[in-house]
Amino acid sequence: MKFFVDTADTKEIRSLAETGLLDGVTTNPTLMAKSGRNMLEVIAEICDVVAGPVSAEVAATDYESIMREAKVLRRIAKNVTIKVPLTPDGLRACKALSSDGAMVNVTLCFSAAQALLAAKAGATFISPFVGRLDDIGHVGMELIADIVQIYKNYDTLKTEVLVASVRSPLHVIDAAKIGAHVATLPPAVLRSLYQHPLTEKGLATFLADWAKTGQHIEEPKTAAHA
Ligand code: G3P
């Protein structure tokens, strides 16, 4: 399963990229507003740090304007993925952009029917929002299972399921069990995947016992230096 981080905070992205476990980045207008920075500069900076897909979302809603904005965003770097809303105009743009070789992430997906349309439009990624479905009393993960099952039925559909609106490590595990291709995680959720109290406790014991030995793991001194 690929891990993307869902943020426009470049400091966080740099730090998470150092782990070697970061496969891509997703942003959206809300995250961009939170950064308080110029979108084009932020996307360029992220693309310098992360080689994988970096989703940059258009703000336009009609086909012509989406295509105009996509042109600007695509110029930033090869790994920019154009994020479009799941609307008739968004999917029309998705079809045109993917036919022209661009990566496209179709966002704001809340039904399997929408996911099927996005795949037919040649989306690179479909982003179903699990957390927001949970928020209104639906089981978001059921949508992930439905989409994964549907896509598996057709070899011609190459779209990857990118689980979005992830709120907890449990969402990540459930999505991985289903076989979703990607999860985009807020930085705090990504960092929480490392944590287990028994790991911390076990490490503290090992280090305390090691200290008792008085040893150090280092290059043995050669005779010449002895
Ligand atoms: O980027 C899309 C998605 O991950 C948003 O998540 O937490 O705002 O529902 P959230």
Side-chain angles (χ1 to χ4, degrees), residues 6 26-28 31 57 83 107 129 131-132 164-167 184 186:
D6 199 24
T26 51
T27 64
N28 63 36
L31 295 170
E57 188 161 341
K83 202 170 175 189
T107 191
F129 281 30
R132 291 192 197 184
S165 188
V166 166
R167 304 274 165 80
T184 188

Side-chain angles (χ1 to χ4, degrees), residues 42-125:
V42 170
I43 296 295
E45 212 174 303
I46 299 172
C47 289
D48 271 350
V49 179
V50 178
V54 173
S55 288
E57 188 161 341
V58 296
T61 52
D62 67 281
Y63 173 76
E64 307 294 345
S65 311
I66 291 175
M67 293 304 285
R68 251 197 318 276
E69 290 188 1
K71 196 171 169 192
V72 175
L73 297 171
R74 287 178 74 183
R75 256 194 242 121
I76 298 174
K78 274 201 160 49
N79 53 331
V80 166
T81 301
I82 306 301
K83 202 170 175 189
V84 299
L86 209 153
T87 59
D89 282 50
L91 291 191
R92 185 178 163 205
C94 173
K95 180 82 183 165
L97 290 165
S98 59
S99 303
D100 192 41
M103 290 191 285
V104 184
N105 177 358
V106 177
T107 191
L108 291 167
C109 171
F110 293 95
S111 81
Q114 290 179 321
L116 194 49
L117 288 174
K120 283 178 71 66
T124 316
F125 303 105

Side-chain angles (χ1 to χ4, degrees), residues 18 51 60 63 67 86 138 149 160:
E18 282 170 7
Y63 173 76
M67 293 304 285
L86 209 153
H138 290 253
Q149 186 193 344
E160 296 194 7

